[in-house]
Structure formats: C-alpha cells, structure tokens
Amino acid sequence: VYKRQGEEPYLETALRSYRIERDTFNGKLIVKILYDLEKFFDTIEPLTLIDRLEQSNFPRTQLVLGMISHRVPRLLKLEDAVSDPLDIPAGSILAGCTLSTEFARGILNPVINEVEQDCDHAVAQHVDDMDQTITANTYSQLTKRTIKHATKLTNAITKAKLRISDKTTILTN
C-alpha cells in the first residue's frame, strides 16, 4: 500500500538512525552493508515495472501518466539554446523522472519483502540502492548472521534480475 509521496522514506531513515543509536548504546555489534545496484534505472524493463507497480497497488492514473511522460523525448535547454532529443534506452526508466523514486520502490519492495527481517536484521531502500543492517552480541554471531542475511538478500536481488556493483558496494562495521 502506497503512502503519501515522500512520507515513508523519512520515517524509515529516522527509525533506522534511532535503532543504530539504541543498539550501539546497548553494546550491540553492528554491520551495515550498502548495496549499489549497478545501472539500476538502465536495466528495468518498462513492462516489468508496470507489472510490479500494479501488484503493489500503485495508483493507476499516476502509472499511466508517468509511463506516457517517461517515453516523451527529452531536450536540454540553456537560455535560448536547445539540444537535439536525448536518446532514451528502450529498457529503462529515467533517473530524473519525478516518479523515479516511486518506480524504484515498485521494483525493490518485492525484493525487500522476500527477505526475513527482525530486531537484529533490517533492509532498507534508498531510491535505487539498498542497505542491510545486522546486529549481534558477539563477533561470532555477527559473522554468522551477516553471511546468512547477506546471502539471502543477494539471492533475492539476483532473482529480481538486478546486479550488485562489486566496485561500489561496501560493508561497514
């Protein structure tokens, strides 16, 4: 179910920050993995996007209008100078589109929902990227949980036909 535009990400960010602060204060060990999804907007097929957004009850009027405006040729304008139309890759959504954040949510929510989350494991989305926070009381527990949860999320991302960048994905402790 979609909430008002912009409401959910701010709430998620605030809660994530609070949980990390609380867990650190309580002596828990934390690993955070920041996943960079390689060329995310360039690899989403519009038909797949439409299917996923319909499944997640995205407002149909916004979907139809968004997809129409998405396919319109783009021009760059600076004062009186206007560029030739920009090429829009056939299998992509525009990163600069005003609905791109919502479109990305439509693709990534099913990935996030496929992964079990609890008080010691959380997954979040940041437009076209994701993060995973794992906590434990000992380094041994933390290592086991990190391997378990990172493997499950990586499999869900791969199943969704998305690619994780091995150059810009980072693990922090």
Side-chain angles (χ1 to χ4, degrees), residues 23-133:
D23 289 345
T24 302
F25 181 79
N26 289 329
K28 287 206 170 195
L29 302 168
I30 300 171
V31 162
K32 186 171 228 25
I33 304 172
L34 306 170
Y35 293 90
D36 178 27
L37 300 178
E38 194 172 284
K39 299 186 180 199
F40 178 82
F41 287 107
D42 294 334
T43 58
I44 303 301
E45 291 292 333
L47 293 177
T48 301
L49 175 66
I50 291 167
D51 286 345
R52 298 255 178 89
L53 290 174
E54 282 186 326
Q55 290 169 7
S56 61
N57 296 322
F58 191 84
R60 282 197 168 164
T61 304
Q62 273 189 296
L63 176 57
V64 170
L65 294 174
M67 293 309 294
I68 290 170
S69 64
H70 168 73
R71 303 311 301 162
V72 173
R74 301 303 201 267
L75 306 171
L76 297 178
K77 182 178 180 186
L78 179 63
E79 295 179 7
D80 293 331
V82 179
S83 73
D84 289 332
L86 303 173
D87 288 329
I88 300 173
S92 74
I93 56 178
L94 293 175
C97 173
T98 56
L99 290 174
S100 62
T101 301
E102 294 297 318
F103 286 175
R105 188 170 291 135
I107 295 294
L108 294 178
N109 272 349
V111 173
I112 292 170
N113 292 338
E114 199 171 306
V115 178
E116 177 187 330
Q117 297 186 65
D118 56 37
C119 61
D120 290 320
H121 175 245
V123 177
Q125 174 195 354
H126 311 280
V127 185
D128 61 331
D129 296 319
M130 302 174 81
D131 82 42
Q132 190 171 37
T133 305

